Amino acid sequence: MTGSFRRSLLRGFLMHSALVPALALLPTPAHAKDGPEDDKAQDSTILVTGLREKQTGSGTKTDTPLMETPQTITVIDNDELVRRNALSINQALGYVAGVAANQRGGMVTRYDQLILRGFAPGVYLDGMRLLAGPYSTPQIDFNRIDHIDVVKGPASVLYGNSTPGGLVNLTSKMPEQVASGRFELQLGNYDTIRAVADVNQPLDADGKWLARIVGGWQKGDGLTRGTFSERYHVSPMLTFAPDDATSLTLIASYQRSPSGGGYSGVSAYGSVLANPNGQLPRDINTGDPGYERYDHRAKSVEALFRHDFNEHLSFRSSARFQNNWLSYRQLYVAGFATTGTGANRNTDYSTIIRGGGGADENFDTLTLDNSFNAKFETGPLKHNVLAGIDYQHIAGENFQQFNTGVTANPLTSIPNLNLFKPVYGGTLPSFDLTKLSSAYTNSYSKRDQVGVYLQDQIAIGRLQLIASGRYDWYDQTTLNKRNNAMTPFSQTAFTGRLGALYELPFGVSPYVSYSESFEPQTGATWDAVPFDPVTGRQYEAGIKYQPRGTNALFTVSAYDLRRQKVPVGDPRAGTNGIPSTAQIQIGEVRVRGVEFEGRGEVTPGFDVVVAAAYTDAIITQGAPAVAPTATNSGTPTTTGTRQLGTPEWTASTFLSYDFGKSGRVAGPLGGLSGGVGVRYVAGSDGTTAYKVVSNVTTFERFTTESFTLVDAVLGYDLGRATPALQGFSLAVNASNLFDKSYISACPFSNSCYYGAGRTVIGSLRFQW
């Protein structure tokens, strides 16, 4: 497809995005009421969808219930988020099967870094990808979030480029027709304070104009000594719904984090592996409070439009413009100092060499998604067809530089640190990146992705079939602003999905599915053959079960997932004239797993969350071995090894009971609620090359220790004690109740991260 045709297609798409909502707001003939309900809805089963009225699910972009979707999808509703006081994606997904949350533990909380089925998932807000620069990735304040969808397995067929592990979609709170609100004040250890508000109000008697505003502020110390974080946000919303068939919602948001806690990890020696000087404390700061900087500002405007032409045809349009501005500085571990010279040079395990620097970024993002949804019948077949086109655009400037080690120039020098007698401050490197090094980078990049997709969900009695296909055009341009060198890059990809599910009459639905993903890949082989996109594919089979009369869903699934065409070192590199840095696309990671997950209200007042997963993530074709030299032990091949940071076994459960909702307890005791959770995470692999013995740098692979954490909550509805306190409630949430010290993961070579210590938060809420 030519560039001019793509530009023409995009212009038409943008015009269509603007014109269709405007035309649909014009008066239309009254629609006939829906026909008789299907006979399957007449039994006592409560429909589990995870959706509010008129919403769509992340797995299909239609209103298909989870019990009819042939894919593993987890929905965490707002009640559960509040009950567990989950204020980030990592906290929310700690009780989801197949997720290795908190890859950087409690030491780094400014980003949502986790693994889903072996890979970092894409994060979306209202079905649109959250994009920014390398370090300005947005983290959405959870006061804005209504619920979370976790789609497991490749999802490129509806969302474009992404890793094969899956995606996490956050759904914004929206204006509602009933006036309501909530104020909340929280206090906790680590000097934590948080105050948020959420006010929803119809603006007219007919409910055609609805408004809502959420906002708040929070501040607290980090796990790492000398660090703290702060954030404030406000998000006003307005909905115009002239009739039941049409709605347009506008959401504006401003969020600033003038500080973001720590960003430095620790070495494996002294945390996972033995250090002759002892164990490192979990609050050790390997950076420097005097140099740490994190100031992130995010602004966005979002429009969500829906129009039902009749009971058979509907149109949806989503658009968001977002700007992310960031200034970031940091010092971090870059190795150990050594003692001695020549053959007597050995690691000094008490002193680390540090790197330092940072980035300044300013990126604009535009995301659009338009789709038509048609429901009709052809003989015995009931079709639910989705056809859409989406667009992602991100453009911005990145300015960065990182130095390593001590130099004679105080502007460029990164001081060493004694881990066991740390002294901070003193002469620190320049905050000005141009003075930090003349080798600083300054680039402007622009990425565009246009995707067209088509999906047909076919019901034949109790048999549910799905077939989806998508074609993507991806373009990227990078401009080096220091020498005006421009690097263009374009790729295309087709992805598909097939699935089948059969609804048995007693609440059990077995299913099978196949799905694909792609990731654009720059670079070329040594003889200038451009790389293809990295691809992913998954075969999955499972069984879903919804006990009759409950609002709970249980799923057992097994899958085989592959990420293929990953660039790795060419085994022939360094021979026959082939450069030593040459790469070839033969890399593959195979993830096989079994998952069990269930969540929901099984009896009035009794909510259950249970999850367990076996994840076998193996690099089946990896980087070749590096031969040893006189000063280096070499590096073994990664083929046959486990992916770093991915635990083989995880299990968790959270059980909670609300005496008031149970209907069995009256009076003051009916205001009591409580719950307890247990999380088990097996050890995961890590690597390090920081050991020097007799002048030989030595590579070492290791496994972290497994850990088990206990969480708890105790709450009370004060309105049960006295009518004067109607709407007020208290809650105390404790995470890692027994204050276990542990390493959450070592997801990058040479870097490990301590998990959060005991965190206790008390909440006072007023809700109406």
Side-chain angles (χ1 to χ4, degrees):
M1 175 175 285
T2 66
S4 61
F5 182 81
R6 281 196 298 270
R7 288 190 292 271
S8 176
L9 174 67
L10 179 58
R11 282 195 298 269
F13 171 45
L14 295 175
M15 291 177 63
H16 184 74
S17 299
L19 288 175
V20 172
L23 292 173
L25 285 171
L26 295 175
T28 55
H31 300 147
K33 292 184 178 180
D34 294 338
E37 295 180 349
D38 187 270
D39 57 358
K40 287 185 292 182
Q42 302 300 320
D43 60 26
S44 61
T45 299
I46 301 172
L47 197 63
V48 176
T49 66
L51 306 175
R52 294 180 182 270
E53 187 180 4
K54 305 296 185 180
Q55 286 185 341
T56 59
S58 300
T60 60
K61 289 189 178 180
T62 66
D63 58 0
T64 306
L66 294 179
M67 277 296 291
E68 299 176 11
T69 304
Q71 188 173 7
T72 303
I73 300 171
T74 297
V75 176
I76 305 175
D77 63 22
N78 194 258
D79 287 344
E80 182 182 339
L81 294 177
V82 173
R83 183 185 310 120
R84 293 199 285 111
N85 195 41
L87 302 179
S88 69
I89 292 177
N90 269 317
Q91 292 177 4
L93 270 57
Y95 288 89
V96 174
V99 172
N102 299 299
Q103 285 290 291
R104 294 201 184 193
M107 305 186 80
V108 178
T109 57
R110 65 179 66 161
Y111 302 117
D112 296 304
Q113 294 171 307
L114 63 155
I115 289 176
L116 172 60
R117 287 191 173 178
F119 304 98
V123 178
Y124 293 71
L125 176 64
D126 300 323
M128 295 174 284
R129 186 75 175 262
L130 287 169
L131 299 168
Y135 297 98
S136 54
T137 302
Q139 185 184 61
I140 305 300
D141 193 284
F142 261 42
N143 189 42
R144 295 173 51 194
I145 300 307
D146 179 76
H147 66 270
I148 305 174
D149 295 349
V150 183
V151 180
K152 300 181 181 181
S156 287
V157 73
L158 291 181
Y159 294 95
N161 81 87
S162 62
T163 63
L167 64 86
V168 178
N169 182 52
L170 309 175
T171 298
S172 296
K173 293 177 178 177
M174 302 274 283
E176 299 175 353
Q177 292 191 340
V178 178
S180 61
R182 185 182 70 170
F183 292 102
E184 182 172 352
L185 175 65
Q186 294 186 323
L187 299 173
N189 60 338
Y190 294 102
D191 287 334
T192 299
I193 180 170
R194 176 175 179 262
V196 297
D198 177 0
V199 179
N200 178 82
Q201 181 64 50
L203 300 180
D204 65 339
D206 296 329
K208 293 182 178 180
W209 292 93
L210 311 172
R212 189 169 187 171
I213 183 168
V214 298
W217 170 80
Q218 64 187 54
K219 186 176 182 179
D221 292 341
L223 171 71
T224 302
R225 185 188 316 154
T227 64
F228 68 95
S229 61
E230 183 180 8
R231 174 192 293 163
Y232 50 87
H233 72 283
V234 62
S235 180
M237 315 168 204
L238 180 67
T239 292
F240 174 54
D243 53 48
D244 288 342
T246 307
S247 71
L248 173 64
T249 298
L250 302 177
I251 303 175
S253 174
Y254 177 77
Q255 180 176 303
R256 184 181 178 190
S257 300
S259 59
Y263 195 51
S264 301
V266 296
S267 165
Y269 296 104
S271 58
V272 179
L273 301 175
N275 184 314
N277 299 284
Q279 185 77 8
L280 295 173
R282 68 180 175 190
D283 66 347
I284 179 71
N285 189 340
T286 55
D288 197 295
Y291 195 75
E292 185 74 34
R293 175 197 289 176
Y294 180 82
D295 188 357
H296 188 180
R297 308 173 193 183
K299 298 172 286 188
S300 67
V301 178
E302 181 176 312
L304 304 173
F305 176 78
R306 173 191 59 83
H307 179 68
D308 300 329
F309 294 96
N310 51 45
E311 66 268 29
H312 300 294
L313 181 64
S314 62
F315 171 78
R316 290 181 181 272
S317 180
S318 305
R320 181 172 61 242
F321 172 81
Q322 182 161 341
N323 171 265
N324 284 276
W325 179 95
L326 172 75
S327 181
Y328 143 69
R329 299 292 185 272
Q330 174 206 3
L331 300 186
Y332 53 88
V333 181
F336 281 99
T338 57
T339 59
T341 59
N344 295 318
R345 191 171 74 95
N346 294 287
T347 295
D348 174 5
Y349 288 102
S350 66
T351 304
I352 56 170
I353 299 170
R354 292 187 293 182
D360 296 321
E361 297 182 351
N362 192 352
F363 279 84
D364 292 330
T365 303
L366 176 65
T367 50
L368 301 162
D369 188 8
N370 282 359
S371 64
F372 283 94
N373 186 196
K375 298 180 181 180
F376 57 91
E377 297 182 9
T378 56
L381 307 182
K382 295 181 179 179
H383 296 266
N384 188 348
V385 175
L386 180 73
I389 178 171
D390 62 23
Y391 173 63
Q392 298 177 10
H393 167 84
I394 177 172
E397 184 174 3
N398 171 266
F399 203 113
Q400 71 178 51
Q401 175 58 33
F402 298 93
N403 289 4
T404 300
V406 177
T407 67
N409 184 349
L411 296 177
T412 66
S413 181
I414 313 296
N416 293 346
L417 181 73
N418 187 313
L419 291 174
F420 298 92
K421 295 179 180 179
V423 177
Y424 301 104
T427 303
L428 295 172
S430 174
F431 281 92
D432 185 340
L433 299 180
T434 64
K435 296 179 180 178
L436 185 66
S437 173
S438 59
Y440 69 88
T441 61
N442 184 16
S443 63
Y444 175 86
S445 62
K446 179 172 69 72
R447 304 195 303 270
D448 294 277
Q449 177 184 292
V450 177
V452 292
Y453 54 90
L454 181 65
Q455 175 178 276
D456 191 5
Q457 296 173 258
I458 303 173
I460 311 173
R462 293 184 176 273
L463 178 63
Q464 304 287 337
L465 304 174
I466 188 171
S468 314
R470 177 188 175 104
Y471 200 84
D472 278 283
W473 297 266
Y474 182 90
D475 294 281
Q476 176 178 309
T477 301
T478 302
L479 171 66
N480 184 332
K481 298 190 71 173
R482 299 197 64 186
N483 59 15
N484 290 322
M486 185 174 293
T487 306
F489 168 68
S490 297
Q491 280 184 338
T492 60
F494 175 82
T495 49
R497 169 174 63 175
L498 295 170
L501 177 146
Y502 191 80
E503 297 179 86
L504 296 170
F506 42 86
V508 174
S509 297
Y511 68 93
V512 294
S513 66
Y514 170 81
S515 54
E516 297 175 332
S517 67
F518 85 96
E519 302 162 66
Q521 184 61 55
T522 59
T525 62
W526 68 274
D527 51 352
V529 177
F531 287 150
D532 294 325
V534 173
T535 61
R537 66 101 179 120
Q538 175 184 270
Y539 294 97
E540 182 178 21
I543 298 175
K544 299 184 178 186
Y545 171 56
Q546 183 190 354
R548 289 187 178 276
T550 72
N551 191 25
L553 179 64
F554 297 84
T555 303
V556 177
S557 59
Y559 63 90
D560 182 291
L561 187 156
R562 310 272 172 127
R563 184 173 184 250
Q564 300 167 314
K565 295 186 178 180
V566 180
V568 297
D570 191 327
R572 304 165 298 169
T575 64
N576 300 321
I578 299 175
S580 60
T581 57
Q583 289 187 310
I584 190 171
Q585 279 191 290
I586 61 172
E588 179 186 79
V589 178
R590 183 208 69 207
V591 185
R592 291 174 176 166
V594 179
E595 296 173 358
F596 168 68
E597 184 167 347
R599 61 196 335 116
E601 189 178 47
V602 293
T603 62
F606 183 40
D607 285 87
V608 171
V609 176
V610 58
Y614 168 73
T615 307
D616 186 29
I618 301 295
I619 301 173
T620 52
Q621 183 63 58
V626 176
T629 66
T631 58
N632 196 298
S633 68
T635 306
T637 177
T638 58
T639 300
T641 64
R642 295 187 58 80
Q643 283 215 114
L644 303 186
T646 305
E648 190 172 12
W649 294 96
T650 58
S652 60
T653 184
F654 197 98
L655 308 178
S656 59
Y657 192 76
D658 189 314
F659 288 87
K661 290 183 179 179
S662 70
R664 299 179 180 179
V665 179
L669 187 59
L672 189 64
S673 62
V676 63
V678 179
R679 292 174 283 152
Y680 169 79
V681 179
S684 58
D685 279 18
T687 61
T688 182
Y690 280 170
K691 179 191 289 187
V692 177
V693 179
S694 300
N695 203 35
V696 177
T697 300
T698 304
F699 173 87
E700 190 168 357
R701 176 176 284 270
F702 57 87
T703 302
T704 65
E705 292 186 2
S706 63
F707 56 89
T708 301
L709 308 177
V710 177
D711 307 322
V713 58
L714 183 64
Y716 189 74
D717 181 356
L718 295 172
R720 290 282 188 147
T722 172
L725 295 178
Q726 189 67 35
F728 284 92
S729 63
L730 292 171
V732 178
N733 289 82
S735 179
N736 189 7
L737 181 64
F738 299 111
D739 200 25
K740 182 177 180 59
S741 181
Y742 64 99
I743 290 292
S744 62
C746 302
F748 318 107
S749 186
N750 299 314
S751 294
C752 295
Y753 298 88
Y754 277 105
R758 176 169 52 226
T759 304
V760 180
I761 303 293
S763 305
L764 172 63
R765 302 182 177 109
F766 175 63
Q767 188 167 341
W768 71 93

